[in-house]
Amino acid sequence: LADAIKVNHTVTKIFLSNNKIGDAGSAALADAIKVNKTVTNIDLSYNQIGGVGKKALQEAQHVNRTVQIIYGSAAIIYF
């Protein structure tokens, strides 16, 4: 999925809630977000993102300011 997001020029919103995404998945997604300027919203609520994954996503948001990542109130984010 992350590789597809890197080359995407059509999809603007990605809904990945409740997919058991952890640090490895969110880090891969973060790498994709850094190069994709088309996606504007990503819903990651109801996942298991730890501190490493959250940090990777935050760094990606600093590189790509067009994307908004929604963790949601039910996201499990470990620090």
Side-chain angles (χ1 to χ4, degrees):
L1 178 63
D3 288 337
I5 292 170
K6 285 180 183 178
V7 297
N8 163 64
H9 297 289
T10 306
V11 175
T12 60
K13 295 180 175 94
I14 300 172
F15 298 94
L16 295 171
S17 63
N18 201 23
N19 277 288
K20 298 181 182 177
I21 296 172
D23 285 338
S26 55
L29 184 59
D31 287 340
I33 292 168
K34 288 177 184 176
V35 297
N36 179 299
K37 304 298 186 217
T38 307
V39 174
T40 57
N41 297 85
I42 301 174
D43 182 348
L44 292 171
S45 57
Y46 296 97
N47 281 291
Q48 300 166 347
I49 300 170
V52 172
K54 182 165 173 75
K55 183 176 179 181
L57 290 166
Q58 288 172 335
E59 289 173 0
Q61 283 186 290
H62 287 292
V63 173
N64 179 356
R65 299 207 178 257
T66 63
V67 68
Q68 177 185 21
I69 300 173
I70 302 166
Y71 299 103
S73 61
I76 301 170
I77 302 171
Y78 303 98
F79 293 96

